[in-house]
Each structure stands twice: as structure tokens, then as C-alpha cells.
């Protein structure tokens, strides 16, 4: 376990070298046995010296930081090393990165606690990050999933402690040489100084690694924090992304870039939802195609060849046939959701104030959410080598412990005999929380006896990854004529599958898609309904879940529940403001009560977006989103300028202001908000699936109505200065863009759009 892949400001390794070394056991870190002492997965290499679980220092001065999270575009391979470097006093140019597999020392305990209802029989006891049950589960699993904006909550304090301990140890080594007190030494830019004496990290590494750090570590007074400069102020980051040069020149390795000696390539075909069982194919057509092998399973057929193109074209000629009880139909799903909205046997998830306050609602509106496809640039890909009763698996996974477990189970191995090599993902949006391709690659590798690389075609990615859940949401409000027609009672009723429980049954219990649907049937799902309580001071609020069982499996997607609950809430608020005859901005501000952070964000967004009242003809719309993870809260408000143009919705400008607490890296935060706004735009205009006979009608990226470069609006993003707990910004923009755009279209056309995507119901 000595080698590892590194991303560094000093050197970027080419794809071929990384892949070749990986085949021989170098550069990429793997593990066969879970660490028992939770010492971490980062082991020093030649001329390197370990400083706990998080970092090593080599004799040339390179500081290598372990990153237990999947890099999928969000910049985690910059964020965590930056926190270590700032606390340690390392120069940014000497920092490298080692992606490491999950281990007990670097477990995502806060996310395990949040998802306790999905794995624990005692979720109330396991639901706090400091609970014994969450800690034990996360460390023993080990659970290091990359999801839910949990990276800072899970790892910032540990990274700071690791950097501070290493800084103290280096100062101790220098102080021993100079016969001074180590507390008198200064550590900055990779150098320890005392008066005129200087020593570089590399010179001190061997001695420092033997020192015993103080307990607790001597943290710097200020946590990592950058000033939130306005978006139009040019500034260069002191901590530019470590992966950026390699991504620009094409040398950054993704899952599909792995190359092993003697490797063959695999394409695959799956059945449709409801028609999953493979019942036959044109076996005679396989002759003369030059295939290495054909591998069939109950639910798929895979072709193996010396090129992926040959394997994929062969499957077209083989014409696999699938059968089942009947393919999923979108019309039937929508009917089921609508019927559920009429049910009275609902699960009450939230009660604030008086449940009898609703009486006769002033207004009730229904909002419909279509199932949405993740559509990452890189489709599911995994490389596997089975030899001598052991499996090696190169895979980009947001839940690598689960991928390892299901791959081992699929081919009858102990988990001790399966090694995972963590590889970056070319996008995910939570699609890589699913592990079906890990199972398939393992089975095919065992059958073929050679290194195999499985890559799903785009159509299979759309077909076989469960979509974000469809939903029907009914919102009701009673307005008080004596308070400028403000809502005094609010009810949200969500008809949808227990999608998070279904996802959890696959992730934690290794259920099949059918078994997971059955396990979640009829269950209330608070995690799936997060965000349904509006971010306003409404005295009486209830949230009801009408659980629905459909044959279409569902899963998480970037933005998660806030992407549909926020859409319904903010569109409904605009309708209430219209009934009250109020400016949508002033109406919202009047409802924010004592929430100063939300009000400040809303006012700042209105100034940035040059809000002019949102009345008909202005083409402006407004939305506000509040999210929380543990004690951290994030706020974003957006003013959209949109219209109907040639080809559909045209969004000219999105102006957003966010309060995400203390900001460790402003560039990363801005990238996340901007990327989230574009992702939210894609959900507003397309990205959805209509299922016919179990198949999504759209099988290509070009058919999803995703925004192109020419469709990208002018983006204006600002942040508010704050010293509150840092909140991950990755999902805020996703949730705020669709309702802001929908409200802008109302201002432009006078029409209300109550479906996602917005033009799916026609005009």
C-alpha cells in the first residue's frame, strides 16, 4: 500500500504513467484488509515520513494529504489539502494529494448520523454526529460516502488538527536542533524559523515524524476563511485548484482512463424497468464478430472485445430481448401520484403550531415533478482484474465501501479479497452512489480471466441508473385579510415514493431495485421531504407525506429534496403575493420574521439583480432557498431574467447572492454556485425522462434539452461575509434556479408554470 496517485502543483503525472503504475501495484492506493486501529489508509513511501492519518512529508519537502472523498468536479482534492496546508504552514506549491479508500480514521460520521433512519434500528439514538452509534457504524463500515454537502462537517476539524499537529512536530524538531522552545518557532511557507535560523520541512521530516505532538493540537486562532469579494472584482486565489492544470491539458485520470496490460473492453445492455429479465438474443449473430466473450446474467448481456466500439456494435447485432410483468409508463406513474394526493391516510411529518388553523384554505395549488436523469459527462465505468481468488477494482464511487462489498458478494469472495482503487469521476450528481456497474465488472472479470473495462453506453446510463423521484405536491395556505393577506397556515402534501428509504435499502442492505422498492413501500420518509417547511415565519405549518409505490426505482440527485420542495414553495409564494397584490420581494421580506440572514440575502440579491417589482412584463422572477446540514445553514436568493424564445425557455441572467457562513475557499464556492445554477437551469428546461414501456424516450444527451454554451445566461454571484459555520454550497444553486425562472416566465407571459421541466405541460 505504499504507492498512490498524486495531484500536485509540482508535477502532474500523465494518464498512461498512472495507469501503467497502477497495473503494477504503484501510484494508486488500494486496500485488502480494513484497518483495525483506525490509523488511516495513507502509508509513507520511500523517503516519506508519516504524520498521522492525514499527511506525509517527504525529504524533498512535498506534503501529501490524504483525501477520502470522491473528486467529481466539486474540488474536494483542493479543499481538504488547503485546510491542512493553512493550518500546517505549508506552501501551496509543495502540496500533493493522495486519494485514499475509506478507512476508520477518516469516516463521514455526520452523514452517517443524518442517514441513520436508513441503516439504524435506533435512528433517534444514532442521529447525532457525536452519538456512539453513528461513530461506531461509520468507523467500522467504514462509511466515507461523498454526498449531501457533508465534506466540511465531516473533515474540516480533523484536517485542521492534523495540520496543527504536524506544524508543532516540525517546530519541535527544529527547536531540538537549535536548543530553543518549540513554541518560539514560526512556521510558514514550508519553512520553520527562529530568528535568523531556517529549516525547510524536508530537512526536518525524519526527525519531526518521531516527535509526540501536543494534545490537543495548537490550532491557529482563525479557521480557514477567505473574504467574499464581489463577483465583478478580479482576484486570484491563493489556493488554486490542484487538479485544474491536469484537467486543462487532458492528463487528469478518470475512471474510463485506466489501462492495464492485456485489458479487453466491455459494453452492455440492460432491460427496461418492469422488463428486466434477459430471455434471449440472436446467438447465431455472435459468430464472426471477433468477440473475446459473451457474458450473460439474469438482467443483462455483455460483449467483450479488443475495443469498446466492436463490443458495442456486436450487441446491436445480437439484439438481446428482455421480459417482465410490464414496462413502466410515465402516464401511469403520474396517475398514481395524483390519486395519492386525494388520500387522507397520510403520514404527518411536521407540525408547527395549531393543526386546526388551516380550516378552509384560501388557495391550493398542485406542482408536478417529472423523474430526472443525472446525465454526467462520464458514463458508468469500472475496470476489474480477477486473479488467484482476488479481485482488483478501479472505480469512481461516492460510496466505495458499498461498491467493494457488493462486488465481493457477487462473485463469492470475502471483502478481504477485494481491493478498490479510488478514481475520480467525470461528474456524478449522485449517480455514483449506485454500484450496479461494480457488480457487473466483477462478474465479467471472473468469467473472462483478463483485465476488463466496462463502460456503459449513454443509453444504458439513462436506462439503468434510477432517476430522481417523480412527485406531486399540493400546497395550501390560508391568508389573513387583517395582515396584508399573509399566510397564517400552510400545508404541504407530498405524493411520492419513499425514495430515500428505497435508496438506503440498496446502499446499506444490498437490496435489488425490486426488493428496495418493496422494502420502502408505504413508509414515511422525512429525508425525502426535507425542505417542505417553508423558510418563512408562518405560525401554523404541517407537512404530510403520502407514500406511493411505483415500479420505477428512484434515487438521489444533486439538489435532492430541496430541488422539488423549493420549486413548489417558491412558486406558491409568488402566487400568494399576486393574490395579496404585493411585490413578491416585499411579500417575502414581510414573512421572514427574525431570520436576519435570509432577509439580508434576499435584499442583496434584489440589488444585484436590479429587481423592479416582478410585475407582468418585467420578465423577472425571484426565489429564496434555505438549507441545513447539522448546525450549518446556507441561504441563497436569486433573481432570474427569463422569457419564452425560439426553441423554448430563454434565460438571460441569473443574479444570486448566498450566505454560506465562513468560506474556506472563495473560488471553489463560486464555482459550486455557478455550476449549481446551470444544473438548476437544466432541470428547469429539460433533463427529465418520459418512460414508455419501461424505457426513457430520450437516449442521448442532445435529446435532454440541456443548456448549451449559447444558452448559458449571464451569471452574477456574490457572497455575504459571515463567521457562521461553513455550509457546502454545491446544491443551493440547483434548488433556487428553477423557481426563480418559473416566476420570471410568469412575469413575462402571465402564465403559471407548475411542472418541472417548465414546458412539459405545453403552453
Amino acid at each position: 500500500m505504499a504507492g498512490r496517485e498524486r495531484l500536485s502543483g509540482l508535477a502532474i503525472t500523465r494518464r498512461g504513467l498512472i495507469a501503467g503504475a497502477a497495473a503494477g501495484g504503484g501510484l494508486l492506493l488500494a486496500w485488502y484488509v480494513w484497518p483495525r486501529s483506525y490509523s488511516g489508509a495513507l502509508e509513507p513511501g520511500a523517503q516519506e515520513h508519516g504524520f498521522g492519518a492525514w499527511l506525509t512529508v517527504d525529504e524533498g519537502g512535498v506534503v501529501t494529504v490524504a483525501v477520502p472523498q470522491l473528486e467529481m468536479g466539486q474540488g474536494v482534492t483542493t479543499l481538504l489539502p488547503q485546510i491542512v496546508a493553512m493550518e500546517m504552514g505549508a506552501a501551496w506549491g509543495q502540496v500533493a494529494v493522495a486519494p485514499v479508500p475509506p478507512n476508520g480514521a477518516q469516516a463521514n460520521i455526520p452523514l452517517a448520523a443524518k442517514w441513520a433512519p436508513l441503516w439504524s434500528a435506533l435512528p433517534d439514538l444514532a442521529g447525532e454526529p457525536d452519538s456512539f452509534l453513528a461513530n461506531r457504524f461509520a468507523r467500522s463500515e467504514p462509511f466515507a460516502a461523498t454526498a449531501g454537502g457533508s465534506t466540511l462537517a465531516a473533515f474540516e476539524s480533523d484536517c485542521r488538527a492534523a495540520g496543527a499537529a504536524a506544524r508543532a512536530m516540525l517546530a519541535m524538531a527544529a527547536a531540538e536542533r537549535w536548543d530553543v522552545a518549540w513554541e518560539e518557532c514560526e512556521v510558514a511557507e514550508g519553512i520553520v524559523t527562529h530568528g535568523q535560523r531556517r529549516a525547510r520541512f524536508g530537512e526536518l521530516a525524519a526527525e519531526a515524524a518521531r516527535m509526540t505532538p501536543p494534545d490537543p493540537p495548537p490550532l491557529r486562532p482563525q479557521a480557514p476563511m477567505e473574504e467574499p469579494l464581489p463577483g465583478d472584482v478580479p482576484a486570484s486565489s491563493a489556493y488554486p485548484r490542484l487538479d485544474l492544470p491536469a484537467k486543462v491539458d487532458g492528463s487528469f485520470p478518470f475512471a474510463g482512463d485506466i489501462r492495464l496490460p492485456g485489458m479487453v473492453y466491455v459494453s452492455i445492455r440492460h432491460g427496461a424497468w418492469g422488463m428486466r429479465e434477459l430471455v434471449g438474443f440472436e446467438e447465431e449473430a455472435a459468430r464472426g464478430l471477433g468477440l473475446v466473450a459473451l457474458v450473460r446474467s439474469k438482467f443483462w448481456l455483455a460483449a467483450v472485445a479488443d475495443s469498446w466500439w466492436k463490443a458495442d456494435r456486436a450487441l446491436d447485432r445480437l439484439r438481446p430481448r428482455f421480459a417482465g410483468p410490464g414496462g413502466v409508463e410515465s402516464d401511469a406513474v403520474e396517475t398514481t401520484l395524483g390519486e395519492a394526493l386525494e388520500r387522507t391516510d397520510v403520514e404527518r411529518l411536521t407540525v408547527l403550531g395549531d393543526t386546526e388553523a388551516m380550516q378552509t384554505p384560501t388557495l391550493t395549488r398542485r406542482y408536478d415533478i417529472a423523474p430526472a436523469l443525472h446525465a454526467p459527462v462520464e458514463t458508468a465505468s469500472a475496470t476489474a482484474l480477477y486473479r488467484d481468488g482476488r479481485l482488483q477494482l478501479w472505480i469512481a464511487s461516492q460510496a466505495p465501501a458499498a461498491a467493494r462489498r457488493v462486488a465481493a458478494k457477487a462473485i463469492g469472495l470475502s471483502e478481504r479479497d477485494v481491493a478498490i482503487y479510488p478514481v475520480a469521476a467525470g461528474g456524478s450528481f449522485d449517480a455514483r452512489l449506485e454500484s450496479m456497474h461494480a457488480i457487473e465488472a466483477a462478474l465479467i472479470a471472473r468469467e473472462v480471466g483478463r483485465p476488463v473495462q466496462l463502460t456503459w453506453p449513454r443509453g444504458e446510463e439513462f436506462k439503468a441508473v434510477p432517476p430522481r423521484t417523480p412527485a406531486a405536491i399540493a400546497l395550501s395556505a390560508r391568508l389573513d385579510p387583517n395582515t396584508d393577506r399573509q399566510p397564517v397556515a400552510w400545508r404541504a402534501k407530498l405524493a411520492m415514493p419513499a425514495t430515500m428509504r428505497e435508496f438506503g435499502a440498496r446502499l446499506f442492505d444490498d437490496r435489488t431495485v425490486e426488493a428496495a422498492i418493496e422494502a420502502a413501500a408505504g413508509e414515511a420518509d422525512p429525508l425525502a421531504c426535507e425542505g417542505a417547511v417553508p423558510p418563512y415565519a408562518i405560525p401554523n405549518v404541517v407537512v404530510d407525506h403520502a407514500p406511493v409505490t411505483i415500479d420505477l426505482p428512484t434515487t438521489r440527485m444533486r439538489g435532492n429534496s430541496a430541488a422539488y420542495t423549493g420549486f413548489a414553495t417558491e412558486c406558491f409564494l409568488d402566487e400568494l403575493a399576486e393574490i395579496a397584490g404585493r411585490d413578491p420581494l416585499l411579500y417575502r421580506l414581510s414573512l421572514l420574521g427574525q431570520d436576519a440572514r435570509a432577509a439580508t440575502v434576499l435584499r442583496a440579491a434584489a440589488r444585484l439583480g436590479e429587481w423592479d417589482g416582478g410585475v407582468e412584463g418585467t420578465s423577472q422572477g425571484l426565489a429564496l432557498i434555505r438549507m441545513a446540514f447539522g448546525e450549518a445553514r446556507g441561504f441563497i436568493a436569486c433573481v432570474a431574467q427569463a422569457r419564452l424564445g425560439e426553441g423554448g425557455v430563454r434565460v438571460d441572467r441569473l443574479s444570486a447572492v448566498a450566505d454560506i457562513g465562513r468560506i474556506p475557499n472563495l473560488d471553489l464556492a463560486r464555482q459550486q454556485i455557478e455550476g449549481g445554477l446551470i444544473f438548476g437551469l437544466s432541470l428547469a428546461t429539460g433533463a427529465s425522462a418520459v418512460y414508455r414501456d419501461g424505457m426513457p424516450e430520450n437516449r442521448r444527451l442532445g435529446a435532454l434539452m440541456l443548456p448549451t454554451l449559447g444558452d448559458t445566461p449571464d451569471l452574477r454571484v456574490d457572497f455575504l461575509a459571515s463567521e457562521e459555520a461553513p455550509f457546502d454550497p454545491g446544491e443551493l444553486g440547483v434548488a433556487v434556479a428553477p423557481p426563480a425562472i418559473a416566476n420570471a416566465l410568469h412575469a413575462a407571459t402571465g402564465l403559471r408554470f407548475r411542472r418541472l421541466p417548465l414546458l412539459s405541460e405545453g403552453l
Side-chain angles (χ1 to χ4, degrees), residues 567 571 742 745 749 751-755 758-759 761 763:
F567 172 75
C571 290
L745 289 179
T749 67
L751 303 174
R752 285 290 178 190
F753 298 87
R754 302 189 182 99
R755 298 175 66 95
L758 296 175
L759 299 187
E761 59 191 324
L763 293 180

Side-chain angles (χ1 to χ4, degrees), residues 610-697:
E610 300 171 330
W611 176 257
D612 60 3
V615 297
E616 187 171 345
T618 64
S619 301
Q620 284 191 332
L622 183 71
L624 169 70
I625 296 292
R626 177 186 65 194
M627 293 185 183
F629 187 94
E631 296 180 356
R633 295 197 302 164
F635 302 82
I636 188 168
C638 179
V639 174
Q641 189 92 26
R643 55 191 166 84
L644 291 181
E646 184 178 353
V649 178
R650 306 297 299 177
V651 180
D652 298 314
R653 181 190 302 166
L654 293 173
S655 305
V657 175
D659 177 351
I660 57 172
R662 174 172 52 82
I663 305 174
N665 187 306
L666 181 62
D667 269 5
L668 290 180
R670 190 177 304 281
Q671 292 164 23
Q672 286 286 78
I673 294 291
E674 290 177 346
L677 290 171
I678 297 301
F679 196 90
L681 170 60
S682 77
L683 294 178
T685 61
S688 66
V690 174
Y691 288 87
R692 297 284 182 255
D693 203 21
M695 300 276 282
E697 288 188 337

Side-chain angles (χ1 to χ4, degrees), residues 31-32 34 102 118-119 137-138 140-145 391 393 395 397 399-420 433-436 438-439 442 503-511:
W31 87 105
Y32 283 99
W34 295 121
L118 308 182
W119 57 264
F137 169 81
S140 62
E141 174 68 8
F143 180 75
L391 176 72
L393 191 62
I395 190 169
S397 175
R404 177 178 189 257
R405 185 179 65 247
V406 297
K409 185 181 295 186
I411 58 175
L413 293 182
S414 164
E415 290 183 50
R416 298 167 60 91
D417 294 322
V418 176
I420 288 277
L433 284 166
E434 304 291 333
S435 299
M436 186 188 303
I439 297 172
F503 157 77
R506 293 194 301 271
L507 179 67
F508 295 112
D509 300 334
D510 305 335
R511 305 278 185 109

Side-chain angles (χ1 to χ4, degrees), residues 386-404:
Y386 179 81
R387 183 174 294 164
D388 300 327
R390 287 190 169 187
L391 176 72
Q392 298 177 74
L393 191 62
W394 290 258
I395 190 169
S397 175
Q398 290 178 249
R404 177 178 189 257

